[in-house]
Amino acid sequence: MVPRHNGVTLPSPRPTPRPVGIIAGCSTLLLTALALVGCSGSTASSEKGAEPSVTAAPTMLDTTGLRFPLDSYHPTAEQRKTLERAQEILVDRCMERYGFRYPGQPAESPSGDAENARRYGISSASRAASHGYADGSREAPGKSPMDDLGSDEKLVLLGQERLDPTKLPKSQEEAEKSDEGTTSIGGRKVPAGGCLHEATLKLFRPTKDIIDLMFVQNLMFDAYRRSQQDSHVVKAAKSWSDCMAHQGLRTDEPVSPMEDLGFKASEFASPKAISAAKKDIACKAEVNLVGIWFSVETSDQNRLIDQNAETLKRAKVQLEDRLRLANLIIK
């Protein structure tokens, strides 16, 4: 079930069919914060434009460590950890003003796959041979320390329940000028959206002129969606599907074929799944699905960069400023 807070649906940690790796590394805390800020949809140009040429598509397979043009405007996995740590410190400082401490989020269940490793489905022959379709994740942590918070602590952390999200301030600058959406405890005012929202605004949106926190990610999603529909990718995916069929495997979903192939999550590393995964990899290599898809998506990202050059330039500067602030907070 997708979690909700204050009427806001929180994004899934591993969205599909969006490219795995864009936000998969974000903690639950950061994802919740992004939702509470009220991020909008992409403000990028939606012009379709001509399909890119793939006459020079590279021959490639393993996508581990793959880099895309828009990655320059998006925090790396290590930078996301820095931002998440700084955010937790800000939440704790806020909670301490009311006599509480922030217990922190439990560590996310780590994946055995590196970022972008499954952008186009499994693509590592060695991992397919050892793990099949499993990603090597460790067992998820148990009970969250959040479950032990009292009602007053939760009020301070999250603010009023069932608060209209539109009432939440969209910047720290706005929050300091308005009491809209605030509540009180022990005679002390609690910020709108609680300490979580306050920390989010201080780190990610101090002023109203900050570029939408999801802007770059939405460009990535847009390029990925367009690439899925590109005729070159569709043709390559069909060739992959035909190759799989010749191996006795019926599926037309190269990214997540497990359900089509009849595998439950507990069976992703079974001998049968490993056999299927090895054939999956061989078929991707035979038709160069990964090379063609990467070429198309890269071209789409470059087009979006050209269309949104000024906004992306500002977003990059703001990311650098945010990381400097985060490092100061951590110190």
Short mmCIF file of all heavy atoms in Angstrom, two decimals, residues 3-28:
data_model
loop_
_atom_site.label_atom_id
_atom_site.label_comp_id
_atom_site.label_asym_id
_atom_site.label_seq_id
_atom_site.Cartn_x
_atom_site.Cartn_y
_atom_site.Cartn_z
N PRO A 3 1.96 4.74 1.18
CA PRO A 3 1.70 5.50 2.40
C PRO A 3 1.19 6.89 2.10
O PRO A 3 1.48 7.47 1.07
CB PRO A 3 3.08 5.54 3.07
CG PRO A 3 4.04 5.41 1.95
CD PRO A 3 3.37 4.51 0.96
N ARG A 4 0.42 7.44 3.06
CA ARG A 4 -0.12 8.78 2.90
C ARG A 4 0.10 9.54 4.20
O ARG A 4 0.16 8.97 5.26
CB ARG A 4 -1.63 8.74 2.59
CG ARG A 4 -1.98 8.05 1.30
CD ARG A 4 -3.48 7.98 1.11
NE ARG A 4 -4.07 9.29 0.93
CZ ARG A 4 -4.16 9.92 -0.23
NH1 ARG A 4 -3.69 9.37 -1.32
NH2 ARG A 4 -4.71 11.12 -0.32
N HIS A 5 0.25 10.86 4.07
CA HIS A 5 0.31 11.73 5.24
C HIS A 5 -0.26 13.07 4.85
O HIS A 5 0.10 13.64 3.82
CB HIS A 5 1.73 11.90 5.76
CG HIS A 5 1.80 12.86 6.91
ND1 HIS A 5 1.27 12.54 8.15
CD2 HIS A 5 2.28 14.12 7.02
CE1 HIS A 5 1.45 13.56 8.97
NE2 HIS A 5 2.05 14.54 8.30
N ASN A 6 -1.18 13.58 5.69
CA ASN A 6 -1.83 14.86 5.40
C ASN A 6 -2.42 14.90 4.00
O ASN A 6 -2.40 15.90 3.30
CB ASN A 6 -0.84 16.02 5.56
CG ASN A 6 -0.59 16.35 7.02
OD1 ASN A 6 -1.43 16.05 7.87
ND2 ASN A 6 0.55 16.94 7.32
N GLY A 7 -2.95 13.76 3.56
CA GLY A 7 -3.63 13.72 2.28
C GLY A 7 -2.71 13.64 1.08
O GLY A 7 -3.15 13.64 -0.05
N VAL A 8 -1.38 13.55 1.32
CA VAL A 8 -0.42 13.51 0.23
C VAL A 8 0.01 12.07 0.00
O VAL A 8 0.43 11.39 0.93
CB VAL A 8 0.82 14.37 0.54
CG1 VAL A 8 1.82 14.29 -0.60
CG2 VAL A 8 0.42 15.81 0.79
N THR A 9 -0.10 11.58 -1.22
CA THR A 9 0.38 10.25 -1.53
C THR A 9 1.88 10.31 -1.70
O THR A 9 2.39 11.08 -2.49
CB THR A 9 -0.26 9.72 -2.83
OG1 THR A 9 -1.68 9.68 -2.65
CG2 THR A 9 0.24 8.33 -3.16
N LEU A 10 2.59 9.50 -0.94
CA LEU A 10 4.04 9.51 -1.00
C LEU A 10 4.52 8.63 -2.14
O LEU A 10 3.95 7.57 -2.40
CB LEU A 10 4.62 9.00 0.33
CG LEU A 10 4.10 9.69 1.58
CD1 LEU A 10 4.85 9.17 2.79
CD2 LEU A 10 4.25 11.20 1.47
N PRO A 11 5.57 9.05 -2.84
CA PRO A 11 6.04 8.28 -3.98
C PRO A 11 6.69 6.97 -3.56
O PRO A 11 7.29 6.87 -2.51
CB PRO A 11 7.08 9.21 -4.62
CG PRO A 11 7.54 10.08 -3.50
CD PRO A 11 6.35 10.27 -2.61
N SER A 12 6.51 5.95 -4.41
CA SER A 12 7.13 4.66 -4.15
C SER A 12 8.64 4.77 -4.23
O SER A 12 9.17 5.48 -5.07
CB SER A 12 6.64 3.64 -5.19
OG SER A 12 7.44 2.50 -5.18
N PRO A 13 9.38 4.08 -3.32
CA PRO A 13 10.84 4.12 -3.38
C PRO A 13 11.41 3.56 -4.69
O PRO A 13 12.48 3.90 -5.08
CB PRO A 13 11.27 3.27 -2.19
CG PRO A 13 10.11 3.30 -1.26
CD PRO A 13 8.89 3.35 -2.15
N ARG A 14 10.70 2.66 -5.34
CA ARG A 14 11.19 2.08 -6.59
C ARG A 14 10.09 2.16 -7.64
O ARG A 14 9.41 1.17 -7.93
CB ARG A 14 11.64 0.64 -6.38
CG ARG A 14 12.83 0.49 -5.45
CD ARG A 14 13.25 -0.94 -5.30
NE ARG A 14 13.85 -1.47 -6.51
CZ ARG A 14 15.14 -1.36 -6.79
NH1 ARG A 14 15.94 -0.74 -5.97
NH2 ARG A 14 15.63 -1.87 -7.89
N PRO A 15 9.84 3.34 -8.21
CA PRO A 15 8.73 3.52 -9.13
C PRO A 15 8.95 2.78 -10.44
O PRO A 15 10.06 2.68 -10.94
CB PRO A 15 8.71 5.03 -9.37
CG PRO A 15 10.13 5.45 -9.18
CD PRO A 15 10.67 4.55 -8.10
N THR A 16 7.88 2.24 -11.00
CA THR A 16 7.92 1.63 -12.31
C THR A 16 6.75 2.18 -13.10
O THR A 16 5.70 2.48 -12.55
CB THR A 16 7.79 0.10 -12.19
OG1 THR A 16 6.61 -0.22 -11.47
CG2 THR A 16 8.98 -0.51 -11.49
N PRO A 17 6.88 2.35 -14.43
CA PRO A 17 8.02 1.96 -15.25
C PRO A 17 9.12 3.01 -15.34
O PRO A 17 9.91 3.00 -16.28
CB PRO A 17 7.38 1.72 -16.62
CG PRO A 17 6.30 2.76 -16.68
CD PRO A 17 5.76 2.86 -15.26
N ARG A 18 9.16 3.93 -14.41
CA ARG A 18 10.22 4.92 -14.41
C ARG A 18 11.55 4.22 -14.18
O ARG A 18 11.61 3.15 -13.60
CB ARG A 18 9.97 5.96 -13.31
CG ARG A 18 8.76 6.83 -13.60
CD ARG A 18 8.42 7.69 -12.42
NE ARG A 18 7.37 8.64 -12.75
CZ ARG A 18 6.85 9.51 -11.89
NH1 ARG A 18 7.29 9.53 -10.65
NH2 ARG A 18 5.91 10.34 -12.26
N PRO A 19 12.65 4.84 -14.60
CA PRO A 19 13.94 4.18 -14.51
C PRO A 19 14.40 3.98 -13.09
O PRO A 19 14.56 4.93 -12.34
CB PRO A 19 14.88 5.12 -15.27
CG PRO A 19 14.20 6.44 -15.21
CD PRO A 19 12.73 6.15 -15.23
N VAL A 20 14.62 2.74 -12.70
CA VAL A 20 15.13 2.44 -11.37
C VAL A 20 16.52 3.06 -11.25
O VAL A 20 17.35 2.93 -12.12
CB VAL A 20 15.20 0.92 -11.16
CG1 VAL A 20 15.89 0.60 -9.84
CG2 VAL A 20 13.81 0.31 -11.20
N GLY A 21 16.76 3.75 -10.16
CA GLY A 21 18.06 4.36 -9.96
C GLY A 21 17.97 5.85 -9.80
O GLY A 21 18.86 6.48 -9.25
N ILE A 22 16.88 6.47 -10.29
CA ILE A 22 16.76 7.92 -10.16
C ILE A 22 16.45 8.30 -8.72
O ILE A 22 17.08 9.19 -8.15
CB ILE A 22 15.68 8.47 -11.11
CG1 ILE A 22 16.17 8.37 -12.55
CG2 ILE A 22 15.35 9.91 -10.78
CD1 ILE A 22 15.22 8.92 -13.56
N ILE A 23 15.46 7.67 -8.11
CA ILE A 23 15.16 8.00 -6.72
C ILE A 23 15.21 6.78 -5.82
O ILE A 23 14.88 6.86 -4.66
CB ILE A 23 13.78 8.68 -6.56
CG1 ILE A 23 12.66 7.70 -6.94
CG2 ILE A 23 13.70 9.94 -7.36
CD1 ILE A 23 11.28 8.27 -6.66
N ALA A 24 15.65 5.68 -6.37
CA ALA A 24 15.67 4.45 -5.58
C ALA A 24 16.57 4.58 -4.36
O ALA A 24 16.34 3.92 -3.36
CB ALA A 24 16.14 3.28 -6.44
N GLY A 25 17.58 5.44 -4.43
CA GLY A 25 18.50 5.57 -3.30
C GLY A 25 18.04 6.52 -2.24
O GLY A 25 18.69 6.66 -1.21
N CYS A 26 16.92 7.19 -2.44
CA CYS A 26 16.45 8.16 -1.46
C CYS A 26 15.82 7.46 -0.26
O CYS A 26 15.14 6.47 -0.41
CB CYS A 26 15.41 9.09 -2.08
SG CYS A 26 16.07 10.16 -3.38
N SER A 27 16.05 7.99 0.93
CA SER A 27 15.46 7.42 2.12
C SER A 27 13.98 7.74 2.20
O SER A 27 13.49 8.64 1.53
CB SER A 27 16.16 7.97 3.37
OG SER A 27 15.83 9.34 3.53
N THR A 28 13.26 7.01 3.05
CA THR A 28 11.85 7.28 3.26
C THR A 28 11.66 8.70 3.77
O THR A 28 10.71 9.39 3.40
CB THR A 28 11.27 6.29 4.28
OG1 THR A 28 11.47 4.96 3.79
CG2 THR A 28 9.79 6.52 4.48
#
